[in-house]
Amino acid sequence: MEELFDGLLNDRLGFVVWAAVAFLILLVLLGKFAWKPIMGAIYERERSIEDALLKAEAAKEEMTRLTTENESLLKQARAERDQILKEAKQVKDHIIGEAKAAAQAEGNKIIEKAKMEINNQKAIAMADVKNQIATLSVDIAEKILRKQFADQQKQNELVTDLLKEVKLN
C-alpha cells in the first residue's frame, strides 16, 4: 500500500487525485463557512434591487399621478382666471354703462335747467320790454292829450262828442 500511496504522489494521476481531494475539501469548507454568507449577501442584494425597482415604479406612478393632478389644477386655474376676467369685463362694462347713463341724465338736467333759465330770462326781458312800451305809450299819449287839450275849443268839442255817445237810461 505504501507503494500505491507513493505512486499516487509521484504520478500525474496522483496529482489529479490530490487536487480533486483538495478541491472537495475546499468545496465542503466553502459550502459550510462561505457559501451561506455569500448566498445570503447575494439574496439580500437581490431583495434590495427588487425593493429599489418597486420603489422606482411606485415613484413613477406617483409622478404620473402628480403630473395628471397638476395638469388638472392648471386647467382649473385657467378656467377660474378666464371666469374672473369675464366677470371683471362685465363689471367694467356695467360701470361704464352706469357712468354714461348718469352723465347723460346729468347732461339732460343741465340742458333743461339752461332752457328754463333762458325762458325765465326771456320772460323777464319781455316783461321789461312791455313795461318800457307801456311807459312810452303813456308818455306819448300824455303828450298828445296835452297838445290836444291845450286848446279850449278842442276840449269842449271832445266833451260834447262824449256826451252824445253816452245815453242815459
Side-chain angles (χ1 to χ4, degrees):
M1 193 152 161
E2 210 174 275
E3 288 176 14
L4 180 65
F5 205 58
D6 275 341
L8 284 174
L9 288 175
N10 290 335
D11 227 79
R12 284 191 176 159
L13 181 64
F15 178 74
V16 170
V17 170
W18 280 112
V21 169
F23 179 73
L24 287 176
I25 292 172
L26 181 63
L27 190 61
V28 169
L29 287 175
L30 282 176
K32 187 168 186 174
F33 295 109
W35 193 257
K36 285 184 184 179
I38 290 173
M39 289 307 288
I42 290 174
Y43 179 74
E44 196 59 39
R45 179 70 178 154
E46 184 179 328
R47 287 287 160 230
S48 71
I49 290 172
E50 285 179 7
D51 286 345
L53 288 175
L54 289 174
K55 287 179 182 176
E57 186 65 31
K60 182 180 175 184
E61 289 174 5
E62 180 69 13
M63 189 65 123
T64 303
R65 185 186 68 78
L66 288 175
T67 301
T68 303
E69 188 176 311
N70 284 345
E71 288 174 2
S72 173
L73 288 173
L74 188 59
K75 284 180 185 177
Q76 184 180 3
R78 285 182 182 149
E80 288 177 9
R81 179 204 63 199
D82 291 343
Q83 182 65 27
I84 289 170
L85 288 175
K86 181 180 175 186
E87 289 174 2
K89 186 178 184 305
Q90 289 174 347
V91 167
K92 177 194 79 162
D93 291 343
H94 180 71
I95 289 171
I96 289 173
E98 284 181 350
K100 282 182 181 179
Q104 185 70 31
E106 189 63 28
N108 289 340
K109 282 182 183 178
I110 292 171
I111 290 171
E112 274 303 312
K113 190 175 180 182
K115 284 181 181 178
M116 287 176 62
E117 185 66 28
I118 289 170
N119 286 337
N120 287 342
Q121 291 297 325
K122 184 178 174 183
I124 290 170
M126 289 299 286
D128 189 35
V129 167
K130 284 180 184 179
N131 286 338
Q132 287 180 4
I133 289 174
T135 304
L136 285 175
S137 295
V138 168
D139 287 345
I140 291 172
E142 183 182 340
K143 287 182 182 180
I144 290 173
L145 286 175
R146 281 183 194 233
K147 192 173 187 181
Q148 277 189 346
F149 289 131
D151 186 12
Q152 186 65 32
Q153 173 83 22
K154 286 184 181 179
Q155 285 180 12
N156 288 336
E157 286 176 11
L158 181 62
V159 170
T160 306
D161 287 339
L162 286 174
L163 286 175
K164 285 180 187 175
E165 288 179 16
V166 176
K167 294 183 180 179
L168 293 174
N169 290 341

